[in-house]
Amino acid sequence: GNSVTQMEGPVTLSEEAFLTINCTYTATGYPSLFWYVQYPGEGLQLLLKATKADDKGSNKGFEATYRKETTSFHLEKGSVQVSDSAVYFCALSGSGYSTLTFGKGTMLLVSP
Amino acid sequence: NAGVTQTPKFRVLKTGQSMTLLCAQDMNHEYMYWYRQDPGMGLRLIHYSVGEGTTAKGEVPDGYNVSRLKKQNFLLGLESAAPSQTSVYFCASSYAPQGRIVETQYFGPGTRLLVL
């Protein structure tokens, strides 16, 4: 079945540092890939997505590229801010019915 | 638009009690989902619905029942609560996928449930 593996956190960075959160997946067919973000005390919200190989999703300075050859969708940001502190979830689409399979989440803590 | 709302925000139950969590969306979405979030486990799908009057099991359906009597509402029921059901529950909704393009899921703020 489908599965998503994310790097374990927490990831602790200073403001303006470069961020990478690794995500690899196992899936049949050609899934769509997503990054969701969860701020403290809130529900998840979509950060970015990519629907086919070599697509790059981007939003709010974050970006991720759909790499089919390495089955990866790593999240990057060039310069993080304190307000980026949150839990980040990588996810992929299932076969039919728009279900998603989520990774376990990676907590990011950014200090001033 | 309120988006996806969940009621209640927080609840404490004793083992064996029953309760219903309500999810409502005002975006006219066809699909609705219930997830639970536990530390170190990510989000796991409990049940989902692809339209009014339809429901289906997800990854962890045991101990839960659902109903989708109206398109905008999706109810999650616990008939006899157990401590293992202590969790944060999230509801989500989405448009029906067009072809193979999966639509974005929109999440509610969550319900924190403690079963003693």
Side-chain angles (χ1 to χ4, degrees):
Chain A
N2 293 348
S3 67
V4 176
T5 302
Q6 292 180 235
M7 60 189 293
E8 289 194 21
V11 173
T12 304
L13 295 173
S14 298
E15 206 165 25
E16 299 183 3
F18 183 86
L19 168 71
T20 299
I21 298 178
N22 291 338
C23 171
T24 57
Y25 67 90
T26 302
T28 55
Y30 303 93
S32 295
L33 300 173
F34 304 81
W35 277 103
Y36 279 81
V37 60
Q38 183 181 31
Y39 299 104
E42 298 183 9
L44 280 71
Q45 54 186 277
L46 179 69
L47 181 59
L48 53 84
K49 67 180 180 182
T51 57
K52 61 182 187 296
D54 299 325
D55 267 2
K56 177 185 285 188
S58 62
N59 186 26
K60 299 180 181 179
F62 291 89
E63 57 183 35
T65 301
Y66 189 161
R67 301 286 188 199
K68 195 172 190 307
E69 64 276 12
T70 55
T71 61
S72 65
F73 193 53
H74 304 321
L75 182 68
E76 297 181 335
K77 187 176 185 182
S79 176
V80 294
Q81 306 300 311
V82 173
S83 57
D84 293 326
S85 297
V87 181
Y88 293 81
F89 291 90
C90 185
L92 62 83
S93 60
S95 54
Y97 298 124
S98 196
T99 59
L100 296 179
T101 300
F102 286 87
K104 294 184 178 181
T106 302
M107 179 178 287
L108 171 64
L109 300 172
V110 181
S111 57
Chain B
N1 286 351
V4 180
T5 57
Q6 293 183 232
T7 308
K9 288 185 172 52
F10 177 71
R11 183 76 182 269
V12 179
L13 287 179
K14 294 181 180 179
T15 297
Q17 288 185 318
S18 63
M19 77 164 294
T20 300
L21 283 67
L22 171 63
C23 175
Q25 53 93 5
D26 61 2
M27 296 174 282
N28 201 34
H29 286 168
E30 289 291 332
Y31 287 23
M32 296 186 75
Y33 314 82
W34 276 107
Y35 294 92
R36 59 177 291 173
Q37 182 180 27
D38 303 292
M41 301 295 291
L43 265 74
R44 293 181 291 171
L45 183 65
I46 304 172
H47 286 280
Y48 63 99
S49 168
V50 300
E52 184 178 323
T54 71
T55 63
K57 294 180 180 180
E59 181 186 355
V60 288
D62 293 342
Y64 305 95
N65 56 74
V66 288
S67 64
R68 183 98 181 269
L69 298 180
K70 294 183 178 180
K71 185 177 183 179
Q72 63 267 33
N73 295 337
F74 195 29
L75 279 63
L76 178 71
L78 286 72
E79 290 187 349
S80 180
S84 61
Q85 294 178 302
T86 293
S87 187
V88 181
Y89 292 86
F90 287 99
C91 177
S93 69
S94 73
Y95 290 108
Q98 299 299 310
R100 62 175 290 274
I101 304 300
V102 176
E103 294 292 342
T104 300
Q105 291 187 12
Y106 296 83
F107 283 78
T111 294
R112 190 173 298 272
L113 177 65
L114 175 62
V115 182
L116 301 175

